[in-house]
Structure formats: structure tokens, C-alpha cells
Amino acid sequence: MTSVQVQILLIILFWNSDCQIIPRIEECGLLCSQGIHCKSKPSSGIFNSFCHDAPASLSSMVLKSMKISTVMKCVRGSPCSLHLNVKGTLSLDENIRGLEICYLSLNTQQSQCTNVRFARKKSKTLNGKQVQVQFNCIEVNVAQRIYVTMKTVPHYCEVKLSQEYYVEDCRNSDVGKYISACSAGKFDYDVDRARRMISVNVSNFLQDQDYYVRLCHKWFTCEDVGAFAVIKGKESLKSVSLKYSQLLPCLCIEGWLAVPDARRMQLCPFENDTKALWDNIVYNPVTQTLAWEPACPVLVRVNLCRLMKSDDHCEDIPNSSKTTSEKQIKYSRVDTHPRLCMKFTTKQGSWVKCPFAHGDFPAWKMRAAAVAEQIHVFFTSQTKAQFSVLVCNRTQLASCESVGMHHSISVGHSLSITMSQEMCESTICIQGWRTDVDYSVPLQICDLHCGFRDQTYGDGNPAKAMTDRVKSLHSLR
């Protein structure tokens, strides 16, 4: 055999052991080797619980070995079931009439015993011969922890074999596929959006077992969003009502049988309900940090943007694009202007949220007035702030090319800019923005007309003649 063949053989052996294929039977029963006639009957185990001193001629090694495995009983038209397959080796002796095999469930403390009796005439003639006994009629449950004992009948002291055994769970390929206790169930659901309740009806699961149902948010695992409900196996009503706070694309219904390591069924029916994803925006006024925490894993590009008055278009603010790589996106030193917004873009479209639009945070205002060939610019703000002003020529809706110098100004101070006749006749604008933050909304006042007195301007609004210039200044909201 070549080294390659040896490697292939080892791989096959490893694969077969990892698969944990469980043998199947159609009928359970008792089998004794050496042609010995034997039969079994249920036993309480009480009468054989007390031991007797063994005769001097009886070896303490009369019970040679005990091996335990799992077999699957599958009868056409009926669900499969799991059984213990107990094999023992006994040296026949005239002082022994049979064996007693008992099992104790360490999960439920239930016990069951079976007596195996040999034909006396035949066994006497085979004294000293070894006979193998195989019994596979003890039905067990998935993932059960079993304690098995094998004793002689009558029970002689110190002549006993015992072993602890773990029945395969639903992770085993055969158990998960063929045992109904591992069935994850089938869901039917109904959503009451007014009461924020989801009614779940469960079917297609083992009816005498309890069943757990919960709501969860699916990330790498499904994270709890409330207590789970229990459907009792003995109850005829197989439905529960679960309360939710938001219909999110990662909100799932999860259910599983109340057995160890049971397979879990998940249904995530709200994958298109993305609207609520963009609501979780938080601003910290102390650190001036704007943050968004996605309630679900989502592939999205986030931008800060400036909301335009003319068509509700939100123009991206440069160098503000971020993608979701963690559970939070943060922007530090953010301007709290009502027109500063967050734009969320996915394959399904874009959504804009403006967290400062309702006046919950202090905002700044820019005002301008034209007097002859002078433009007076003035900023007001409830917090200390620094601003920059630029004279520019508007080429597009949101684009403004510089035609003058930058001017710095603080809150409470005014700035006068001298305008030439050529500048007054062009599409000239005054652009202002905060310079003491990292992300600011640039605002523009356009359509300036020099040569007239007492003209005041707002953000893109046409000029209006005023008799009292100070009282009639329009704020940028």
C-alpha cells in the first residue's frame, strides 16, 4: 500500500468516525450467542438489588465486558426512535440463571430493568463457555445521560459492571435528520402593528414536548430582545403572543424544543422594514459628537449633508463618508444647524434624517444687508462660535467659486465687504460656515443687489425693501 493510499484510508476512517452514523433496526429484541436459548422480561430490579456472597467456585470475572451504543429503530410509516444497544459477555456457570440489565436516566431519575434468562439444561452443559448477550429494547431520548448496570441473577456481590453513557444530541447528522424531537417546528405568524404584537402559531413538532419561542435580533448570533415564551406540550393551544418595540429587518422569530442541544428554527420576515434603522441618532452636546448605532447589521454608506431649501435635496458634505464596519458611526465636533443632516445610502435607496431640525439644540444664524456698495454680514449664536465668510460666484445649486478673500468673524461682530459694480451684477453670493467644528453646513445668501439702501437678505430669498433694517433681518432656519 502506497503512502497516498494510506493517507486516503486515514481520511476515510476519520470522516466515517466524524459522521457518527447510527445503525438502524426495524425491530428490537434479545440475542444470545453460542446457540443459547434466552428470553427477557421486565423487572422492577428490587428483588435483585441485594447481593449474595459468591460461591468459592465462581470467578469475579464472570462478567467480562459491557459495551453500550445507540441504535435507531425506524419502522416504515412511523417516526424513528432511539434505543440503547447493550452488549455483555458472560462466562456461563451453573450458579448463574441469567443477567439483569438496568438503566437510570440521570436527567429524569427514571429507571428500567430487564431480566435475561438462559435455558438451564443447555447452559449447564456449556459451563465456562462465554456467551454474548445483546439487548436493544430500552428506548431513550435525545441527549439523555444514562447510567447502565449489568448484574448476574442471582446478584453476587462484587460481580457487577456499570457505565455512564451519553445519548447523541440533535447535532448528530442521523439524530437531527430522523428523530422528531429534533424537528425545529413550523411557524405561522400575524403582526398587530397597532399593539406591536406578533402572534406565533407553531406546528410540526413533537407534541408531548414543551416548545420555546422568542424574538431576537440576528447579528452573528440571535440576541434576545425579550423573554422567551413556553408552549406546553400537553396544551392544545400551540400559539403565543410576543411584544416587539420596532419592526427591524433583523427581527427574527426563533423556536426550539425543550431538549438539550435541540435544533433551532429561525424566521426573519421583516427584511424590507428598514425605515426604523435610521432613527437611532444621538447627539452629545458636551463632546459635540453625533453618533448613529444600527439596530441591525446593514451594509450602508453614511454621509453628513446640507439640506437645500429649494428642492429638499441634501448635498453631501466633503470628507464625511463612512461605512458600517462596527456597531456605531461617530462624527466629532459637529455643527448643530437645522440643515445639517445624515444621509443613509443602501442598494435599496437613500434616506435623510435631520437630527437638529426641530430646534432641540442651539443653532447659529447668518444675516446680510446691502448698503450702497457695502455688504454687512452678521452672525448670531447661542454658543460661542467662530465663522468664516467668502464672496463667491454661484455656478451650481450648491457650488460656489471664490471671487474674493476669506474673512473670519466671531459671534456678535459684524463684517463689511466692499462690492464692485461687476460683482453686484453677477450671480454673486455670500457664503458662511463655522470654523470651530470639523463638520459645518455652509450657508449662502445670493441675489445681492448693490446700489440700493437698506436691503436685507436671507438664505436664497429675494431682497425686500425695509424701513427698519435691524428689525426686519431674516434668520436662516
Side-chain angles (χ1 to χ4, degrees):
M1 182 178 293
T2 66
S3 61
V4 175
Q5 290 174 322
V6 171
Q7 290 178 1
I8 294 173
L9 179 60
L10 290 175
I11 292 172
I12 293 173
L13 290 174
F14 174 78
W15 176 259
N16 286 339
S17 63
D18 188 58
C19 286
Q20 299 179 349
I21 302 299
I22 298 177
R24 299 183 199 178
I25 59 173
E26 291 188 0
E27 295 294 336
C28 67
L30 173 67
L31 179 64
C32 295
S33 66
Q34 297 289 353
I36 300 295
H37 177 70
C38 56
K39 58 182 180 179
S40 64
K41 67 175 183 178
S43 169
S44 65
I46 297 176
F47 297 107
N48 204 44
S49 59
F50 302 101
C51 66
H52 309 277
D53 291 333
S57 60
L58 185 67
S59 170
S60 60
M61 300 296 294
V62 65
L63 285 176
K64 294 288 186 181
S65 64
M66 179 176 66
K67 294 182 180 180
I68 306 171
S69 61
T70 307
V71 293
M72 188 180 299
K73 180 182 176 183
C74 297
V75 180
R76 185 170 297 179
S78 300
C80 295
S81 57
L82 296 178
H83 293 254
L84 282 187
N85 183 41
V86 182
K87 290 183 179 180
T89 302
L90 170 72
S91 292
L92 291 175
D93 188 278
E94 60 182 358
N95 297 299
I96 296 175
R97 300 195 302 273
L99 290 175
E100 184 178 66
I101 302 172
C102 294
Y103 94 98
L104 169 68
S105 171
L106 299 179
N107 303 80
T108 64
Q109 297 301 307
Q110 293 180 338
S111 62
Q112 179 181 332
C113 292
T114 298
N115 271 344
V116 178
R117 296 299 180 112
F118 305 118
R120 290 189 178 184
K121 291 181 180 180
K122 190 80 171 180
S123 62
K124 284 183 179 181
T125 61
L126 296 174
N127 275 355
K129 295 292 185 179
Q130 291 187 357
V131 59
Q132 281 193 338
V133 178
Q134 177 177 321
F135 184 69
N136 56 18
C137 289
I138 301 175
E139 187 171 354
V140 291
N141 294 323
V142 173
Q144 208 170 4
R145 188 178 168 199
I146 305 293
Y147 185 73
V148 181
T149 59
M150 181 180 288
K151 299 181 289 187
T152 60
V153 179
H155 180 197
Y156 294 114
C157 300
E158 299 182 2
V159 182
K160 177 182 176 181
L161 296 176
S162 60
Q163 184 179 332
E164 193 170 317
Y165 182 76
Y166 292 86
V167 181
E168 289 83 351
D169 58 37
C170 294
R171 290 173 294 185
N172 177 276
S173 57
D174 278 352
V175 174
K177 185 176 182 180
Y178 296 106
I179 300 302
S180 57
C182 292
S183 173
K186 180 182 178 182
F187 296 149
D188 294 309
Y189 70 94
D190 185 62
V191 181
D192 187 338
R193 293 177 183 261
R195 297 172 56 213
R196 294 190 175 183
M197 298 288 290
I198 300 176
S199 299
V200 183
N201 184 69
V202 184
S203 59
N204 194 29
F205 71 96
L206 200 62
Q207 297 299 308
D208 59 349
Q209 293 281 349
D210 292 347
Y211 196 89
Y212 296 143
V213 184
R214 70 167 182 169
L215 295 179
C216 58
H217 285 167
K218 190 170 184 179
W219 291 80
F220 295 107
T221 60
C222 222
E223 300 176 358
D224 276 321
V225 291
F228 61 81
V230 181
I231 296 177
K232 294 294 183 180
K234 295 180 180 180
E235 294 178 356
S236 58
L237 185 64
K238 304 297 183 185
S239 63
V240 293
S241 293
L242 304 170
K243 191 171 182 61
Y244 68 89
S245 58
Q246 289 179 308
L247 279 186
L248 296 169
C250 61
L251 182 65
C252 301
I253 306 166
E254 187 175 62
W256 67 99
L257 275 173
V259 297
D261 299 306
R263 180 185 298 171
R264 298 195 175 203
M265 168 71 175
Q266 286 180 357
L267 178 65
C268 306
F270 311 110
E271 294 180 354
N272 295 323
D273 285 87
T274 59
K275 183 179 179 181
L277 279 181
W278 325 122
D279 291 337
N280 199 21
I281 301 174
V282 178
Y283 177 72
N284 187 329
V286 177
T287 61
Q288 295 183 308
T289 300
L290 185 67
W292 171 69
E293 294 185 359
C296 292
V298 58
L299 183 61
V300 60
R301 187 180 79 250
V302 183
N303 287 85
L304 295 181
C305 61
R306 167 197 176 192
L307 187 65
M308 309 299 292
K309 269 191 172 183
S310 56
D311 59 356
D312 289 333
H313 172 71
C314 206
E315 186 72 20
D316 290 346
I317 294 177
N319 303 318
S320 67
S321 179
K322 296 178 182 287
T323 56
T324 50
S325 58
E326 299 179 358
K327 279 194 173 184
Q328 189 181 67
I329 284 183
K330 284 185 178 181
Y331 293 96
S332 299
R333 290 166 49 85
V334 173
D335 185 2
T336 58
H337 199 277
R339 293 195 199 170
L340 187 138
C341 307
M342 294 184 83
K343 182 193 293 184
F344 304 91
T345 304
T346 69
K347 291 182 178 180
Q348 286 73 38
S350 294
W351 295 263
V352 174
K353 293 288 183 178
C354 302
F356 310 114
H358 303 293
D360 296 332
F361 298 93
W364 56 274
K365 307 169 187 178
M366 181 174 73
R367 295 175 286 185
V371 181
E373 293 182 0
Q374 293 284 322
I375 300 295
H376 299 278
V377 183
F378 188 80
F379 291 89
T380 59
S381 175
Q382 297 183 38
T383 59
K384 185 178 179 180
Q386 296 288 327
F387 299 91
S388 188
V389 178
L390 175 67
V391 179
C392 60
N393 189 16
R394 184 174 61 185
T395 56
Q396 295 179 6
L397 186 63
S399 299
C400 210
E401 294 182 355
S402 174
V403 295
M405 295 179 60
H406 283 272
H407 304 272
S408 297
I409 182 174
S410 300
V411 171
H413 295 79
S414 62
L415 175 70
S416 296
I417 302 173
T418 301
M419 308 285 288
S420 67
Q421 191 65 32
E422 291 180 356
M423 294 171 64
C424 289
E425 292 175 354
S426 65
T427 55
I428 207 70
C429 297
I430 300 295
Q431 188 178 73
W433 65 94
R434 282 186 66 177
T435 57
D436 58 338
V437 292
D438 293 337
Y439 302 98
S440 178
V441 175
L443 298 181
Q444 296 173 3
I445 299 176
C446 300
D447 300 322
L448 298 169
H449 300 281
C450 305
F452 296 93
R453 300 190 59 81
D454 297 336
Q455 300 296 302
T456 59
Y457 303 91
D459 183 25
N461 292 326
K464 295 181 180 179
M466 303 285 179
T467 56
D468 187 346
R469 179 174 59 83
V470 176
K471 292 183 180 180
S472 61
L473 293 176
H474 293 287
S475 62
L476 298 182
R477 299 291 295 177

